[in-house]
Amino acid sequence: MKNAFKIIGLQILLISFGMLFGNGMIALISGCLGDGFTYSTYFPFAIILTAVCTALPTLIFYIKKGPYILKIIIHFFILLGVVIFAAYVFDWAREFKDFLPVLLVFISIYIAVWVVSYIKHKNDEKQINNALINKIDED
């Protein structure tokens, strides 16, 4: 379980970075299009709170029962619900047309977090395998 909280911490950082990057891109595009785009004073708090709320459902993957693909689908939709709720509450999107950029940023962040997590797990796996090979060679 200690590893779960380590992964959740990493995901909070990645999600926060992704949200800041995504919102920065939205602000840049809005600025280029001549739209007025400003951030509220509670924006950093909203980013952190949303990152924590979207990282916690990762614990679903530590449940032993159920197919992994089903866990991914459930995880995706829980996070999508959190993001849509946060977008409405924090006034990131109030009209239907405003939800498209939020949805695109969410999907981009979701994919990026899973790619980074996959690479990290593969590196961990490689280190464990190398350590086992070295241990066998010593014996």
Side-chain angles (χ1 to χ4, degrees):
M1 196 58 138
K2 181 180 176 184
N3 191 36
F5 290 109
K6 192 174 168 181
I7 290 171
I8 288 172
L10 175 65
Q11 286 190 346
I12 289 170
L13 291 173
L14 289 171
I15 292 165
S16 296
F17 173 79
M19 290 176 72
L20 289 170
F21 180 79
N23 281 289
M25 294 307 294
I26 290 171
L28 178 67
I29 292 168
S30 293
C32 290
L33 296 175
D35 296 339
F37 189 84
T38 59
Y39 292 108
S40 60
T41 54
Y42 60 83
F43 185 73
F45 172 73
I47 292 285
I48 293 168
L49 184 62
T50 304
V52 170
C53 290
T54 53
L56 287 176
T58 301
L59 293 173
I60 195 171
F61 295 106
Y62 289 89
I63 297 171
K64 301 289 182 198
K65 294 183 180 180
Y68 197 74
I69 190 70
L70 180 61
K71 292 177 187 179
I72 291 174
I73 293 168
I74 291 169
H75 182 257
F76 177 84
F77 283 108
I78 288 172
L79 296 190
L80 182 60
V82 168
V83 169
I84 288 172
F85 180 75
Y88 185 78
V89 168
F90 294 126
D91 205 24
W92 298 336
R94 286 291 177 160
E95 298 176 21
F96 183 74
K97 68 178 178 72
D98 298 331
F99 283 97
L100 182 60
V102 171
L103 182 64
L104 293 175
V105 169
F106 168 74
I107 291 171
S108 301
I109 293 169
Y110 194 84
I111 291 169
V113 167
W114 279 105
V115 167
V116 169
S117 295
Y118 177 79
I119 291 168
K120 183 186 178 320
H121 286 294
K122 281 297 182 185
N123 286 337
D124 290 349
E125 183 180 302
K126 187 183 285 186
Q127 288 176 349
I128 291 168
N129 285 336
N130 288 339
L132 288 172
I133 289 169
N134 290 339
K135 182 67 176 167
I136 291 171
D137 289 344
E138 289 176 5
D139 292 339

